[in-house]
Amino acid sequence: VEVLVTLSAIRTSTKLCMLEKDLNTVVSHSLDYGYKIADTFSSVGTRSKAPFDGFGIHNGKLVVWESKWLKEPKSFRFDRLEDHQIENLLRFSKIDNCVALFLIGVDFGRGDKRVFYWKDMEYIDNRKKSSQSIYKKEFVELTNFVRIKKDKIDFTYILEN
């Protein structure tokens, strides 16, 4: 038990083995108010899927997001994005004063953890429908990212760019 607690503390404190849930924690803590939605929830004996990973408010704007995590720079296949997730992001992207985001966190090693962001849900939907992956070399060339610093990301930068 003592060994498990120590390993858990190491993972949490240094983020050596960051997971998608850790990325969602970073995102929600970076907003003025953020909430991670449980992946599934029950209501009167039925089971429902979450529309996306979370929602929040930043600088007076509603923010909704879906995130994915890559342990290293490698190709991202859009089949990891569920149909109901992109459908809900598309719906919310049409609401005034709401920013829908698709986020992919990538660990580049040596403490370089980047969160790539997309606000154009039509673009994401088209890439999903055409089964276009984001290749490893694209992640190296893309500039639409922020770095995770002190377990937070710069949401003001994301909203302004």
Side-chain angles (χ1 to χ4, degrees), residues 5 9 15-16 18 20 24 28 34 45 53 66 75 86 97 115 120 124-125 137 150 154 161:
V5 170
K15 300 287 190 259
L16 290 176
M18 193 165 181
E20 191 171 302
N24 283 315
S28 64
D53 279 332
E66 177 61 33
S75 295
I86 187 62
N97 210 35
V115 179
D120 184 350
I124 297 301
D125 188 41
K137 66 179 183 177
K150 297 182 181 178
D154 186 347
N161 292 286

Side-chain angles (χ1 to χ4, degrees), residues 31-33 56-63 96-99 159:
L31 295 162
D32 295 335
Y33 168 80
I57 297 172
H58 195 76
N59 293 347
K61 292 186 180 207
L62 174 63
V63 177
D96 289 339
N97 210 35
C98 179
V99 178
L159 295 178

Side-chain angles (χ1 to χ4, degrees), residues 141-153:
E141 297 168 356
L142 288 171
T143 59
N144 56 313
F145 70 87
V146 291
R147 285 189 167 86
I148 298 174
K149 295 179 182 173
K150 297 182 181 178
D151 294 331
K152 291 199 174 191
I153 56 175

Side-chain angles (χ1 to χ4, degrees), residues 58-81:
H58 195 76
N59 293 347
K61 292 186 180 207
L62 174 63
V63 177
V64 298
W65 79 87
E66 177 61 33
S67 70
K68 303 297 178 194
W69 179 254
L70 298 175
K71 295 177 193 171
E72 60 187 325
K74 61 182 179 181
S75 295
F76 175 82
R77 293 186 350 259
F78 276 94
D79 61 359
R80 287 186 57 192
L81 181 61

